[in-house]
Amino acid sequence: MVIDKDWFTRKINDFLRNDVSNKMVGVDSSFIFEPKTVVGFSSGKDPIFDEYKEIIGQFHLTPKEAFCKFCEINNLNSTLEDLSIVGFVLPINEKTKKENYEYSKSMPSERWAHTRLYGEQANQKLQKFLVQELKNEGINAVAPMTERYLYKVLKVHENGVWASTWSHRHMLFASGLGSFGLSDGFINARGKAMRCGSIIVDYKLPSDASKRPTDPYEFCTECGDCVKRCPVSAISFELRHDKQKCSLHVGSTVPYIKKNYGIDIYGCGLCQVSVSCSSCIPKKNT
Ligand code: SF4
Ligand code: SF4
């Protein structure tokens, strides 16, 4: 069996097409994420993962650190020489993007809230599914976000607020899938309105690092659409994304979502819909 980009793309899209976790049950049973993923690879030896310790914080795990811990817990051996990171994009359903734009200027729509809660559950199930499929091929892999001993969210840390020990978006950047935008969203071929995932695989895959832009904000045109869309002015040209302001607003949506949609989650995403980078990499004016 050849394990390559086609293999991952097929596995992910088939999961999104067929697994019930990707259906918007209780709304209209449509897909939460469109089965149109894009996949990128990076090498566990890539120096960018050490740079992330400076950029994000010392707590952010390198793939080697995470995989070492995984091996220790599971009594496995690895030389760590062939480690690769697989990053993938889960594009949000077009109907959901449209609804979240039209619904309100401050609260998320029902489909958006479902995507935040049940879509993330589908994302984690997908990561575990990929790990199992690789195991079936005799390849060890781990999805750090799904392992309690690897994944933690820090409300306050050495470099600011709200960060985790494993950032999917940074894994996607390392894997040449796009760049960050003014709002901290990840702009890629399927657009910023997405969720994403990443796993570590003990198998040499061809790195896409050469596709990685030198500027981490390369694909943001600074059009300002997201600045205008944010109901609490958490995005600005001067300070980019104010995580604290954003999180206060996002957290305040919980009672509204519970009362109106009957689910316990927070959400917003207004800066991700009906903006120039929602569904593609926007064109720069020349
Ligand atoms: S909406 Fe415009 S300014 Fe905001 S992240 Fe996208 S491209 Fe950048
Ligand atoms: S998620 Fe909402 S509050 Fe946060 S930056 Fe985007 S629009 Fe603003």
Side-chain angles (χ1 to χ4, degrees):
M1 173 66 68
V2 181
I3 308 293
D4 57 9
K5 206 164 281 177
D6 284 348
W7 186 90
F8 281 101
T9 304
R10 207 173 46 247
K11 289 283 174 197
I12 294 169
N13 284 340
D14 283 352
F15 178 95
L16 295 177
R17 247 180 242 116
N18 301 317
D19 199 274
V20 71
S21 67
N22 191 40
K23 300 277 165 60
M24 208 164 284
V25 177
V27 182
D28 62 0
S29 290
S30 59
F31 291 139
I32 298 177
F33 302 116
E34 304 281 2
K36 294 177 186 167
T37 191
V38 277
V39 175
F41 300 147
S42 48
S43 161
K45 290 178 179 168
D46 196 314
I48 197 167
F49 300 116
D50 290 320
E51 291 168 30
Y52 284 167
K53 289 215 172 267
E54 302 304 320
I55 299 164
I56 305 171
Q58 292 300 316
F59 52 84
H60 193 267
L61 297 168
T62 64
K64 277 189 181 177
E65 285 173 334
F67 205 79
C68 257
K69 190 78 188 158
F70 164 71
C71 288
E72 192 187 308
I73 300 261
N74 293 284
N75 207 16
L76 296 169
N77 287 320
S78 168
T79 62
L80 309 178
E81 283 300 303
D82 294 334
L83 291 188
S84 303
I85 293 78
V86 180
F88 54 86
V89 173
L90 303 173
I92 290 180
N93 186 315
E94 289 299 327
K95 258 162 106 176
T96 307
K97 291 192 261 186
K98 187 168 183 289
E99 187 191 80
N100 206 41
Y101 174 62
E102 292 172 350
Y103 181 71
S104 157
K105 293 211 179 318
S106 58
M107 288 295 150
S109 73
E110 184 175 22
R111 295 180 67 91
W112 194 270
H114 271 252
T115 301
R116 184 65 192 77
L117 178 62
Y118 301 117
E120 185 49 34
Q121 288 173 4
N123 181 10
Q124 292 188 30
K125 189 175 178 191
L126 167 61
Q127 290 167 47
K128 287 183 181 169
F129 166 76
L130 291 173
V131 165
Q132 185 56 48
E133 289 291 296
L134 287 159
K135 200 172 175 188
N136 295 346
E137 300 296 335
I139 299 168
N140 286 323
V142 63
M145 196 194 181
T146 67
E147 303 291 350
R148 279 182 178 199
Y149 59 89
L150 294 177
Y151 189 75
K152 286 184 183 51
V153 176
L154 291 96
K155 202 172 167 183
V156 183
H157 57 85
E158 64 209 46
N159 288 346
V161 294
W162 296 109
S164 61
T165 52
W166 184 259
S167 164
H168 291 312
R169 283 174 305 131
H170 284 80
M171 296 303 144
L172 267 59
F173 179 73
S175 306
L177 285 171
S179 88
F180 297 90
L182 204 61
S183 62
D184 270 353
F186 190 78
I187 304 173
N188 64 89
R190 298 286 183 263
K192 184 172 70 172
M194 56 107 200
R195 293 196 72 77
C196 55
S198 55
I199 60 171
I200 310 168
V201 182
D202 197 2
Y203 186 80
K204 203 173 178 66
L205 294 163
S207 169
D208 292 303
S210 62
K211 298 179 192 156
R212 190 160 76 213
T214 40
D215 178 0
Y217 295 96
E218 175 71 22
F219 300 131
C220 176
T221 60
E222 302 209 334
C223 67
D225 290 353
C226 57
V227 177
K228 289 181 219 139
R229 292 284 291 142
C230 180
V232 292
S233 306
I235 311 166
S236 66
F237 291 108
E238 300 73 34
L239 302 173
R240 295 188 179 274
H241 182 222
D242 184 328
K243 284 188 181 180
Q244 188 61 15
K245 257 189 194 175
C246 171
S247 73
L248 283 174
H249 173 66
V250 172
S252 77
T253 62
V254 173
Y256 181 90
I257 294 175
K258 208 168 197 172
K259 180 164 173 267
N260 289 281
Y261 313 140
I263 56 174
D264 194 7
I265 192 65
Y266 48 82
C268 176
L270 298 174
C271 54
Q272 295 182 31
V273 293
S274 223
V275 296
S276 68
C277 60
S278 286
S279 303
C280 62
I281 294 176
K283 285 203 169 57
K284 285 191 173 162
N285 287 332
T286 46

